[in-house]
């Protein structure tokens, strides 16, 4: 939904959220009103694509974040947010603010400072401040631990520049520290800090208001290092490091145990190295590189980093597991206020952030789906309350799985989210053949529940001889109560057909009426103008919010003639010289236009729109804003996901189909090499290296039960063998498919 509408439609009860908003007074309204000025004020001086560096720290609007899917924070903010921890009843539910015990400020030092460096190293998941002084260098490193996921770490090192003489002529170097925790939380009734077994401070409390009458309040326990007023490097030492740990959990025992574990690793000197090794492993299993275009390369690394730092680590189900509650538009480090969509989970996760993650890290994509399966009972209740069958997920979801949207019309009308979840599930099955997800983890129950919902929400129109869906809001939220949205009807059709596809993996049966409804779903089409009207009654030139009809071509992959695809793209960009799609709309719109034009071979038009798709990045730390002016949600992961899709599915040409993976590479603007490392298809990790003439394809590894793969190109089929490279021409359509189709074995 639009941010302006989101704020204006909330009821009076949610006004109290603003009183506990964690940032400086006036911050969000200023950003909303006029956008930020970070691109004019700051510059990233690093020449590395994975490192963002500046001699100045940014305004509060565009500060970097660290996180691990369990906890996250904006660096140097006074707030921490925790996966699944929300406060407020029903429509007022929002991420609960935890005062940041990890916000450590160095307020005074008895040295002369000549300069600062602020650096976000995405490859290692570290934020670092380096203070260059006359006699020493002071380094502060902040990170959310990638293995010990309950921990936020501050590490400060003072290193002397001069070599100590035998007489020990150097002076002590003292730095004053302040824990800038900010005001007390208005969301959690924390007790005053007591002391833990190892001398650490302890806070505990519960959220003050349950989301529903039955969901209960949420406990939060914090153990953190008792911060001294000062730290001193004595005259007898060349350097010294101090480690300050914050441990947060739902149980006191786990918070205490994880704190002790962190301190042990700190004493052993392994705390940071095990964290950076985990990030290195994650990047080795999935990343994208381009050359000769540093802004693009940085945009790619930044977008991947910010999304992944709001998701669980790899292997999280084995190492300190937790239930993941979903990815919101602003990521895990934002969500206390309306400008951050209160940390709720929308269609954004399934449609925009999920697809690029699925292509590299299926287990993290599965975590995103799990935030739906864990709330399947709530979805069934919602459907029943609406007089419908099956499972109806809410437009906005938080802790309980019930609807938390501040505006009723979105709850009632924007039902396409249920199709978006179904389509995401189809993509997951196509990419993994994960039988256990379907049979043992409620995946099949969700697939059939969604189909049953759409069957009951559709109605047969005798005059059209087709099934229709009335009274909906399409992705274009400027039109809020329409009939037969062409996007909604198509995504419903996909949902109704999905059980037939999924059934083969678990040898299940499917009611015939679902496919019958899908086959006879009413899909709007204008024969005269050869395009898809957005909804019944739509007229050419009507102003819309964002990508809507053009999503039929991608990501939905609806078959249509090239001329129809071209007309959809042209008519929804502009008509008779006037904009049709809002030029100030959300970022992901232009990436989808770019993908469409790439499919049609118009690379000039595609490149122009692609460049427009990442104008929302703010310097120097590559934080995204919802609009290119800098207004709207901060660290807008939705836009990042759409941008990454335009790279992978646009320039890579990937299409994940039920029986194969299609590809058709083009080089991104200015680039001579375009490499995709670790793309995961059916348990095979595949590297793609494109240059000006060829694309080299190498299967690097395969899981034990992964099927053998074939490469189909120019009418020739080749077996893809681990470690052996096959090549195809650039700009050449090809497919990778399993050598043998899936066969159910019980």
């Amino acid at each position: 939904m639009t941010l302006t509408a989101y704020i204006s439609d909330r009821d009076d009860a949610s006004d109290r959220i603003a009183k506990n908003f964690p940032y400086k007074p006036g911050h969000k309204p200023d950003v909303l009103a006029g956008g930020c000025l970070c691109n004019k004020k700051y510059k990233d001086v690093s020449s590395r694509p994975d490192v963002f560096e500046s001699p100045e720290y940014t305004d509060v609007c565009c500060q970097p974040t660290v996180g691990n899917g369990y906890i996250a924070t904006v660096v140097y903010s006074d707030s921490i947010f925790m996966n699944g921890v929300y406060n407020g009843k029903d429509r007022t539910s929002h991420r609960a603010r935890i005062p940041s015990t990890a916000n450590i400020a160095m307020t005074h030092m008895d040295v002369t400072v000549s300069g600062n460096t602020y650096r976000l190293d995405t490859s290692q998941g570290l934020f670092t401040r380096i203070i260059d002084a006359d006699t020493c260098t002071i380094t502060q490193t902040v990170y959310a631990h990638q293995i010990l996921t309950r921990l936020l770490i501050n590490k400060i090192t003072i290193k002397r520049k001069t070599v100590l003489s035998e007489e020990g002529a150097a002076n002590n170097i003292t730095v004053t520290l302040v824990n800038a925790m900010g005001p007390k939380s208005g969301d959690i009734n924390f007790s005053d800090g007591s002391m833990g077994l190892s001398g650490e401070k302890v806070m505990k409390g519960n959220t003050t208001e349950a989301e529903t009458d039955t969901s209960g309040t949420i406990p939060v326990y914090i153990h953190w290092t008792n911060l001294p007023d000062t730290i001193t490097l004595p005259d007898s030492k060349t350097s010294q490091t101090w480690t300050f740990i914050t441990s947060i959990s739902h149980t006191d025992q786990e918070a205490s145990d994880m704190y002790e574990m962190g301190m042990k690793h700190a004493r052993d000197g392994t705390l940071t190295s095990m964290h950076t090794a985990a990030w290195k492993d994650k990047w080795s299993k999935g990343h994208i590189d381009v050359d000769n275009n540093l802004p693009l390369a940085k945009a790619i690394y930044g977008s991947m980093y910010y999304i992944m730092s709001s998701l669980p680590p790899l292997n999280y189900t084995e190492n300190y597991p937790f239930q993941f509650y979903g990815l919101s538009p602003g990521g895990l480090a934002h969500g206390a206020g309306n400008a951050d969509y209160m940390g709720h989970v929308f269609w954004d996760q399934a449609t925009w952030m999920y697809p690029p993650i699925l292509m590299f890290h299926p287990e993290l994509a599965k975590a995103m789906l799990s935030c739906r399966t864990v709330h399947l009972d709530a979805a069934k209740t919602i459907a029943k309350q609406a007089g419908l069958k099956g499972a109806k997920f809410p437009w906005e979801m938080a802790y309980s799985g019930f609807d938390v949207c501040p505006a009723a019309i979105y709850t009632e009308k924007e039902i396409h989210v249920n199709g978006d979840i179904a389509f995401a599930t189809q993509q997951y099955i196509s990419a993994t053949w994960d039988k256990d997800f379907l049979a043992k983890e409620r995946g099949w129950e969700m697939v059939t529940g969604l189909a049953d919902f759409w069957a009951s929400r559709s109605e047969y129109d005798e005059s059209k001889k087709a099934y229709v869906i009335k009274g909906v809001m399409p992705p274009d939220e400027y039109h809020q109560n329409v009939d037969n949205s062409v996007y909604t009807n198509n995504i419903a059709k996909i949902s109704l057909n999905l059980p037939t596809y999924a059934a083969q993996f678990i040898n299940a049966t499917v009611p015939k009426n679902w496919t019958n409804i899908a086959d006879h779903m009413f899909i709007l089409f204008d024969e005269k103008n050869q395009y898809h009207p957005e909804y019944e009654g739509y007229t050419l030139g009507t102003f819309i919010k964002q990508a809507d009809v053009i999503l039929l071509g991608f990501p939905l992959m609806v078959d249509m003639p090239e001329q129809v695809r071209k007309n959809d793209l042209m008519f929804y960009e502009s008509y008779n010289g006037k904009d049709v799609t809002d030029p100030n709309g959300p970022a992901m719109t232009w990436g989808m236009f770019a993908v469409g034009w790439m499919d049609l071979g118009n690379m000039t038009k595609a490149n122009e729109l692609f460049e427009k798709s990442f104008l929302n990045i703010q310097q120097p730390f590559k934080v995204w804003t919802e609009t290119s002016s800098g207004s709207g949600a901060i660290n807008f992961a939705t836009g990042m996901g759409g941008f990454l899709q335009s790279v992978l599915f646009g320039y890579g040409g990937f299409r994940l189909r039920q029986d194969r993976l299609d590809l058709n590479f083009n080089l991104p603007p200015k680039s001579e090499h375009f490499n995709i490392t670790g793309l995961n298809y059916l348990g095979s990790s595949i590297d793609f290296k494109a240059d000006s003439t060829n694309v080299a394809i190498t299967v690097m590894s395969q899981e034990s039960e992964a099927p053998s793969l074939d490469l189909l190109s120019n009418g020739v089929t080749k077996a893809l063998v681990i470690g052996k490279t096959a090549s195809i021409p650039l700009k050449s359509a090809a497919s990778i498919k399993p050598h043998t189709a899936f066969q159910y074995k019980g």
Side-chain angles (χ1 to χ4, degrees), residues 33 50 61 101 121 217 242 272 346 355 388 399 403 595 650 670 705:
D50 57 339
C61 55
T101 52
D121 186 333
T217 58
W242 294 261
T272 302
F346 295 73
L388 300 166
Y399 174 66
D403 183 71
V595 172
K670 303 176 185 177
E705 296 184 5

Side-chain angles (χ1 to χ4, degrees), residues 538-551:
Y538 179 86
T539 57
L540 281 170
T542 301
F543 196 60
I544 69 172
K545 175 190 174 184
Q546 62 181 22
D548 187 308
V549 173
I550 69 162
L551 300 179

Side-chain angles (χ1 to χ4, degrees), residues 24 73 307 319-320 358 378 401 473 494 597 600 608 637 678 689:
K24 294 179 180 178
T73 187
I307 291 177
N319 301 322
Y320 316 110
L358 172 63
M473 186 188 303
I494 290 171
W597 286 111
L600 296 174
E608 172 192 328
K689 296 184 177 182

Side-chain angles (χ1 to χ4, degrees), residues 23 110 159 241 262 380 397 487 513 547 564 621 630 647 715:
Y23 300 102
D110 53 8
K159 185 174 183 180
T241 297
K380 290 181 177 182
M397 185 182 75
Y487 177 88
N513 71 305
V564 173
F621 298 114
V647 176

